[in-house]
Amino acid sequence: MRTTHSRGLQPNVLGTFDTIVMAVAGSAPAYSLAATTAVLFGAVGFAGPAALLYCAIPMLGIVLAYARLGRIDVNAGAGYSWVGRTLHPFLGFLSGWALVFAATVFMVAGSLPAGSLTLSLIDPDLADNTPLAAAVGAGWFLMMLLVVLGGARLTVRAQLVMSGVEMIILIGFVLAAVLHRGRATAFDWSWFGLAQFDGPQGFAAGALIAAFYYWGWDVTSNLSEETRNSRRTAGLAALVGVGFVFVLFEAFTVAVNVLLTAEEIRTAGPNVLAVLGQEIWPGVGGKLLVVAVVLSTVATLETTLLQVTRSLFAMGRDRTLPAALGTVHRRWNTPWVAIATVGAAALLMFVAAATAESVQRILSDAVAAIGLQIAFYYGLAGIAAVVAYKSLLLRSVRNFVLGGLWPLLGSGFMLWCFVESLGELSTTALTIGLGGLLLGVVPLLVYWRKGSDYYRPARLDAVRALAANEASGPATPHARTGTHDKSYATDF
């Protein structure tokens, strides 16, 4: 018989392997490539591999920041808690709000391609029907909503199946692309250089789009209260996950540059992987990669739902949003009110999306807007890690580089991209991105005036936290009843 954590979520559901799978699925390799490759090509041309490379380096600094912060504060709110306890509660709340808003927008940006691609498997002519794509995408979304509502055990099992099949298809096509003989453009090492960018603003625009590729690995931190040995596991899984998807992103982006013409890439839009698959394996390849994209999209809808609902759960628990959001279902141990709230908000956005002109236009604006939100809350987390560990940074070169210099580099890069890209984005993208952040000021002020304890935080300090962890011995975050706590988690 299992009991729950004192704060409501079910502990020890995820093991190391499960958490790595979640990190990879959160970044959604096939979906990110399908939805964003044409957008990235439109922004930086053949310099897509460079944008992914130069974004990956500072992104790893943010991963390190999350890993170090997760060791001293296990919290489903992740950056919402860490930034609030190190920098300022207002910034912490806006950090959590940015994730919530970006994830809610993504429910539509992720579901629409799933709907469109599902229709393309039945009849290619139906794929451009935006209202129908929105309806089918909403169906996929509701299916994942029910899976997430059903509990972490069901969620893990579904994720292992979907991501496993997706990875087999993607790795198979990477190998096939290497062996393929046809070439539209000769490979050029300059694709990895800085010279192809159109000045600092062009570089920032490309980096912001590249940040969207990687976004989602931090789901491991939002699941920390449900993870075995999470002080170690969440950070390790994020590092492995980002490293793995980086290789996949670079391989497919180079393959697209080499095998497809510039016109084919622009025309293909979100169907670029299907066009690439058709080029590599005529007749079958396109459909196989479409299947991979659908699986990836559905899988990342699941991880994004986990992120946003765990963040809302933490906010409800802290009374910085309605307390009902912190309510956990007695049987499934899931924050069911938060899940229902996100579902209702996303369905309203589906109705709005159904009236739009094209899926590609929605994707372009949504990716840019979400990129702004990502850059904002990742940038704050990097600074929070440096502040929390400031007393330890000069004790060794390793501490200085991994705990200070690299996270600070990542933070500076993200915030620079945020500022530099403002002049490059469309009015719609800016309205969604900045407007979404400003909208968070309303609940911030309301619940600050109500006197939530979140706005009077205990400062997060690594020296004190690590000493307390060592003194308490092995982590025992929850009580047990019965004779044996039989974990559902898999592990290495």
Side-chain angles (χ1 to χ4, degrees):
M1 179 178 177
R2 295 179 61 85
T3 60
T4 62
H5 191 287
S6 60
R7 290 179 289 190
L9 297 176
Q10 191 173 30
N12 295 335
V13 178
L14 301 175
T16 305
F17 180 72
D18 304 321
T19 314
I20 291 173
V21 170
M22 287 293 185
V24 172
S27 293
Y31 166 78
S32 297
L33 288 162
T36 321
T37 297
V39 178
L40 183 63
F41 189 87
V44 299
F46 288 100
L52 289 166
L53 171 63
Y54 296 119
C55 184
I57 295 170
M59 184 64 76
L60 283 173
I62 303 301
V63 176
L64 289 170
Y66 267 70
R68 293 171 74 83
L69 287 165
R71 289 177 198 165
I72 58 177
D73 183 20
V74 176
N75 192 294
Y80 155 79
S81 173
W82 304 331
V83 174
R85 294 182 62 189
T86 53
L87 304 183
H88 194 281
F90 284 8
L91 291 176
F93 179 86
L94 290 177
S95 178
W97 180 265
L99 188 155
V100 167
F101 190 86
T104 305
V105 171
F106 178 77
M107 297 306 165
V108 177
S111 299
L112 280 178
S116 180
L117 291 168
T118 301
L119 291 170
S120 73
L121 291 172
I122 302 169
D123 183 351
D125 293 333
L126 295 175
D128 294 327
N129 187 324
T130 304
L132 190 56
V136 176
W140 279 119
F141 169 74
L142 288 172
M143 186 184 301
M144 287 301 100
L145 196 75
L146 292 174
V147 171
V148 171
L149 183 63
R153 184 185 184 190
L154 177 61
T155 302
V156 169
R157 288 179 173 177
Q159 194 61 253
L160 290 172
V161 173
M162 291 185 293
S163 295
V165 176
E166 176 197 355
M167 290 305 109
I168 291 171
I169 295 173
L170 290 181
I171 292 171
F173 270 90
V174 167
L175 298 175
V178 172
L179 299 174
H180 190 72
R181 293 186 178 183
R183 298 287 187 274
T185 307
F187 174 80
D188 194 332
W189 283 106
S190 69
W191 295 344
F192 294 89
L194 293 170
Q196 299 233 10
F197 294 105
D198 184 19
Q201 285 193 327
F203 176 75
L208 199 67
I209 295 168
F212 177 81
Y213 275 80
Y214 296 109
W215 177 54
W217 55 264
D218 47 316
V219 66
T220 62
S221 295
N222 295 106
L223 290 170
S224 60
E225 294 183 27
E226 299 158 88
T227 302
R228 179 192 299 163
N229 191 21
S230 64
R231 295 185 191 279
R232 167 190 173 273
T233 303
L236 172 65
L239 283 167
V240 174
V242 170
F244 181 78
V245 297
F246 166 72
V247 174
L248 277 180
F249 289 152
E250 288 287 16
F252 270 93
T253 305
V254 170
V256 168
N257 280 2
V258 170
L259 300 180
L260 302 181
T261 65
E263 185 58 32
E264 284 177 322
I265 298 170
R266 294 190 187 97
T267 303
N271 295 317
V272 67
L273 278 196
V275 175
L276 177 67
Q278 192 67 17
E279 174 66 28
I280 294 173
W281 189 359
V284 180
K287 289 188 179 297
L288 274 177
L289 279 180
V290 166
V291 170
V293 174
V294 172
L295 288 172
S296 178
T297 307
V298 175
T300 198
L301 281 176
E302 183 186 83
T303 59
T304 307
L305 275 167
L306 289 170
Q307 274 196 284
V308 67
T309 55
R310 269 50 179 181
S311 296
L312 287 173
F313 166 77
M315 292 170 148
R317 183 173 62 194
D318 291 342
R319 305 296 198 274
T320 57
L321 284 179
L325 293 171
T327 305
V328 174
H329 195 280
R330 291 185 178 182
R331 178 180 177 185
W332 298 319
N333 299 110
T334 52
W336 69 274
V337 176
I339 293 171
T341 302
V342 171
L347 289 176
L348 287 175
M349 295 175 68
F350 274 112
V351 175
T355 64
E357 295 179 3
S358 72
V359 173
Q360 186 171 355
R361 179 68 182 180
I362 295 171
L363 278 178
S364 180
D365 289 333
V367 165
I370 291 171
L372 278 178
Q373 308 273 359
I374 296 166
F376 176 77
Y377 83 81
Y378 277 175
L380 290 179
I383 298 173
V386 175
V387 173
Y389 278 84
K390 61 183 183 296
S391 300
L392 301 176
L393 296 183
L394 299 180
R395 293 190 181 182
S396 70
V397 174
R398 182 176 182 273
N399 274 350
F400 179 74
V401 174
L402 300 183
L405 188 60
W406 207 342
L408 200 59
L409 168 67
S411 176
F413 182 80
M414 292 296 166
L415 296 177
W416 176 79
C417 288
F418 180 93
V419 174
E420 281 292 319
S421 62
L422 293 178
E424 295 289 306
L425 300 182
S426 69
T427 302
T428 303
L430 283 173
T431 301
I432 297 172
L434 295 181
L437 273 179
L438 291 175
L439 188 63
V441 174
V442 177
L444 184 158
L445 294 176
V446 169
Y447 285 90
W448 170 62
R449 288 178 63 86
K450 286 185 176 182
S452 167
D453 287 342
Y454 174 82
Y455 294 107
R456 297 185 296 275
R459 303 299 294 176
L460 186 60
D461 178 78
V463 174
R464 290 197 301 268
L466 291 172
N469 291 341
E470 290 177 5
S472 64
T476 54
H478 63 289
R480 298 179 182 179
T481 60
T483 58
H484 184 54
D485 184 19
K486 194 172 183 178
S487 177
Y488 297 132
T490 61
D491 215 331
F492 289 133

